[in-house]
Amino acid sequence: MSEKLKVAIVGSTGYGGIELIRLLASHPLVEITSVISSSSAGMPIAEWFPHLTDIQTALLDDVDPQGIKAKADVVFTATPAGVAAKLAPQLLDAGLKVIDLSGDFRLQDTALYEKWYKKAPADEQYLKQALYALPEINGDKAQGASFISNPGCFVTSALLGLVPAVKAGWIDPATIIIDSKSGVSGAGRGASLGTHYSELNENFKAYKVNQHQHVPEIEMVLSEAAGREVVTTFTPHLVPMTRGILSTMYATVKGEHNAADFIELYKQFYEGRQFVRIRKEGVLPQTKEVWGSNYCDIAFNYDARTGRITIISVIDNLVKGASGQAIQNLNLMMGWDEGLGLQFVPVYP
């Protein structure tokens, strides 16, 4: 490839946008040609994030689809829910490829989106164009796509831990319970009482119980994997750490399968997928072991007394749960090796 692919990032002053800048700086086939913020246009991004001094020197651009088209081929939209629903169609109509990190195009059912996101849905014409792509599950469809909807962070940790067992028929989908804990960066950079230091420090809480917007997304993919409607119980928790998600999932096992069997099943399912690592029996993953990387580590424990399997998965919510996975989808979209620009060893300790 003689010229690098030109990419723009909308929402560059949020955590997702900043992580895209960090990761794409190491991508051998990509050049960031525009960083965009509707609230800070004309300012150097280093004024917001001094760690980018002499790394990203261009001034922040305003949101102008035609202006973006003049500078870029692909746009990442790392925006709050409701923004991309209006912006992405304009970018697509301008002839740009789009990878959306928000939830605006994940659900094809507009009524479902309104119910869970409490916002007006995107136009159905553009919803139909969006490819929902979780790389290890259906990413093979991404090559040549023009519009990709990137999965949610909780969704990624849960689905990578559940889909192989559901597809194989080894667990009863009706018994699935998902319990997830996330670092505070998942709430974004905006200040709120719930993320205030004195409220969060030395605290541990559940939130949006049976109301989290990732519930229908999880159920959508599990239903497809099971070949029938799947309804789950999902409870998210906030823990006083910056990055990471640990999801603990429980389900009743169908048939005679122990932890060793599940390990072998998952190794076969994810064979060739470089970012899913299956742990040895008895070795449980921790969020710090994937910190700053695009890995998802998965482990199993079978309880013969109850007949239930416990599945534990960990990811970095800002990388595999957002920006890293978006770059993985870019690689698949372009027909490149999916690991390009993402070969980061986890930061430890």
Side-chain angles (χ1 to χ4, degrees):
M1 186 173 179
S2 57
E3 292 187 6
K4 291 187 174 184
L5 183 75
K6 297 178 174 64
V7 303
I9 302 167
V10 179
S12 296
T13 55
Y15 288 147
I18 286 299
E19 195 71 347
L20 281 167
I21 292 172
R22 179 180 79 88
L23 298 173
L24 288 170
S26 300
H27 199 295
L29 301 181
V30 168
E31 176 186 5
I32 299 173
T33 54
S34 179
V35 286
I36 300 156
S37 171
S38 60
S39 61
S40 308
M43 296 177 61
I45 197 168
E47 293 214 2
W48 288 84
F49 295 96
H51 73 284
L52 293 177
T53 299
D54 297 334
I55 296 173
Q56 186 63 44
T57 57
L59 300 180
L60 287 160
D61 290 326
D62 202 355
V63 182
D64 171 20
Q66 292 301 326
I68 297 170
K69 173 60 179 173
K71 291 186 175 183
D73 306 302
V74 179
V75 184
F76 292 94
T77 49
T79 55
V83 175
K86 299 174 182 177
L87 177 60
Q90 299 175 48
L91 298 170
L92 291 164
D93 290 347
L96 289 152
K97 294 180 183 291
V98 176
I99 298 175
D100 179 40
L101 278 71
S102 80
D104 288 354
F105 295 90
R106 294 173 188 159
L107 304 176
Q108 293 291 307
D109 186 328
T110 56
L112 205 58
Y113 177 88
E114 284 186 280
K115 175 184 176 181
W116 290 90
Y117 281 84
K118 314 299 184 194
K119 297 181 183 297
D123 188 292
E124 289 193 47
Q125 171 189 347
Y126 295 95
L127 281 172
K128 291 177 181 176
Q129 294 180 33
L131 171 68
Y132 179 86
L134 180 53
E136 289 80 9
I137 305 302
N138 70 331
D140 293 340
K141 298 178 181 178
Q143 185 167 350
S146 296
F147 186 17
I148 287 178
S149 177
N150 211 54
C153 54
F154 282 125
V155 179
T156 297
S157 67
L159 291 179
L160 290 177
L162 288 168
V163 166
V166 171
K167 274 185 171 286
W170 283 21
I171 59 175
D172 180 358
T175 67
I176 292 172
I177 296 173
I178 305 165
D179 185 321
S180 296
K181 290 91 173 172
S182 174
V184 71
S185 60
R189 203 178 188 215
S192 70
L193 180 62
T195 58
H196 193 286
Y197 178 80
S198 59
E199 299 284 335
L200 182 66
N201 185 48
E202 298 187 71
N203 197 12
F204 179 29
K205 64 180 181 180
Y207 70 102
K208 288 189 177 180
V209 178
N210 297 322
Q211 299 176 31
H212 198 282
Q213 65 272 19
H214 287 177
V215 168
E217 187 182 342
I218 291 170
E219 293 179 347
M220 174 183 73
V221 178
L222 289 181
S223 295
E224 184 176 339
R228 62 182 176 88
E229 184 180 7
V230 174
V231 178
T232 63
T233 296
F234 167 62
T235 305
H237 301 76
L238 195 60
V239 297
M241 64 183 185
T242 302
R243 291 173 179 253
I245 288 176
L246 185 149
S247 291
T248 307
M249 294 152 282
Y250 313 91
T252 299
V253 174
K254 296 170 67 177
E256 300 294 327
H257 305 293
N258 58 27
D261 297 329
F262 275 86
I263 289 169
E264 187 57 34
L265 172 69
Y266 277 59
K267 282 185 175 181
Q268 291 179 15
F269 188 93
Y270 290 122
E271 186 177 4
R273 294 297 190 179
Q274 56 193 287
F275 294 118
V276 177
R277 304 187 299 188
I278 308 303
R279 291 296 178 88
K280 295 179 180 179
E281 189 169 357
V283 181
L284 302 180
Q286 305 174 57
T287 57
K288 188 172 282 290
E289 293 163 350
V290 296
W291 205 90
S293 79
N294 201 52
Y295 289 109
C296 173
D297 288 4
I298 302 173
F300 308 89
N301 184 278
Y302 175 67
D303 186 351
R305 185 179 62 87
T306 62
R308 298 179 69 84
I309 189 77
T310 299
I311 305 171
I312 300 173
S313 74
V314 296
I315 62 170
D316 184 315
N317 59 295
L318 292 178
V319 189
K320 185 57 175 167
S323 301
Q325 183 150 261
I327 294 169
Q328 198 177 349
N329 273 325
L330 172 69
N331 290 335
L332 292 168
M333 173 190 276
M334 301 305 298
W336 302 334
D337 181 283
E338 66 180 323
L340 278 180
L342 294 170
Q343 300 291 353
F344 295 98
V345 174
V347 178
Y348 195 93

